Amino acid sequence: MNTQFLSPAARQVESRLKSDNLSNLDAFTREFAVHRIEEKGYSASDYIFTAERRNELAGNKILGSKRLDLGSYSEGDLYGASGSPVPRFRLAISNLASKAERVATLWDNETEYAHQVALFWADVGRLKEFLSLSPIVAEMVAELRTARFQVLGKDTPLELIKAIASALSLAAKAARFDAELIDKMVETLEQGGFDSLAPIELLHSNG
């Protein structure tokens, strides 16, 4: 197999995957910067994961074809999967956007609505682990947490969920996180009924 066109990141991924100790992937993000994945002259790789049944009596068998798509990941995904905060933050935002969109389809007088809203806001609260990632990310997280603090201990109207779903969708689809994105998110939240200038005491009193 000709590997001369594999990037250093791809070679490291494959080396780690071949290792008996997959915890070696933990060191992966410390060895390369994300922007080096695709360098001039290299071709980015994708990795398809498949399923294998292992049974002492029935025997082992690959299920489906060798390209059974149980998961397809770029080398960039794998590059950051072992702990790099940037891919994890993007994934968290994408998951929150999807969850908010699902909650927004429920009737706000249903018991399930209240349950799903509580789970959603709990996930928003966990974003504080990314506050030190970058000034832009910190501002984005602060805006989302400010929105969360305004409804703690209260019912969350459906229009507020729709507003934050729209704001999260902007972030999930953004090619880059910058001041323009923050402005669009704030505008979307305010149009939906949130107060982006809520008292700062909320941040200190609610964690």
Side-chain angles (χ1 to χ4, degrees):
M1 180 177 63
N2 190 343
T3 62
Q4 64 176 320
F5 296 112
L6 291 179
S7 72
R11 293 174 186 171
Q12 285 287 346
V13 165
E14 295 185 13
S15 174
R16 303 301 186 188
L17 291 175
K18 291 176 183 177
S19 170
D20 291 333
N21 182 10
L22 290 183
S23 64
N24 285 338
L25 279 171
D26 292 339
F28 194 75
T29 54
R30 291 191 292 272
E31 296 179 12
F32 290 95
V34 172
H35 68 273
R36 291 184 57 197
I37 290 178
E38 293 187 7
E39 298 181 8
K40 185 176 180 180
Y42 294 115
S43 175
S45 302
D46 290 324
Y47 295 83
I48 307 295
F49 290 89
T50 61
E52 179 182 4
R53 181 196 66 216
R54 295 186 177 182
N55 186 292
E56 292 183 358
L57 298 179
N60 300 341
K61 180 181 179 181
I62 298 293
L63 302 179
S65 67
K66 290 186 178 181
R67 289 186 59 82
L68 177 65
D69 192 358
L70 294 183
S72 176
Y73 303 90
S74 70
E75 60 190 53
D77 292 332
L78 290 176
Y79 182 91
S82 62
S84 174
V86 175
R88 287 195 298 111
F89 179 68
R90 281 193 171 275
L91 180 60
I93 289 296
S94 179
N95 288 342
L96 278 173
S98 297
K99 182 172 291 188
E101 289 170 0
R102 289 195 299 271
V103 175
T105 65
L106 302 174
W107 292 99
D108 56 3
N109 60 350
E110 293 180 353
T111 301
E112 181 64 13
Y113 174 83
H115 176 64
Q116 292 301 325
V117 165
L119 294 177
F120 169 76
W121 287 125
D123 287 342
V124 171
R126 296 187 185 98
L127 291 178
K128 64 182 180 182
E129 72 170 286
F130 299 106
L131 282 171
S132 62
L133 187 56
S134 74
I136 287 294
V137 168
E139 188 172 354
M140 184 186 306
V141 171
E143 291 295 343
L144 295 172
R145 293 178 74 216
T146 297
R148 169 178 175 262
F149 295 142
Q150 291 175 60
V151 295
L152 283 180
K154 307 175 184 178
D155 292 334
T156 304
L158 184 58
E159 57 266 25
L160 294 187
I161 288 295
K162 290 181 177 180
I164 201 165
S166 296
L168 286 166
S169 179
L170 289 173
K173 296 175 182 178
R176 57 179 298 184
F177 297 147
D178 54 23
E180 183 179 357
L181 172 62
I182 299 295
D183 290 342
K184 289 180 179 178
M185 291 180 66
V186 170
E187 181 181 0
T188 300
L189 291 171
E190 290 181 339
Q191 288 177 347
F194 285 106
D195 180 7
S196 63
L197 300 178
I200 193 63
E201 287 79 6
L202 287 172
L203 299 177
H204 300 303
S205 63
N206 291 288

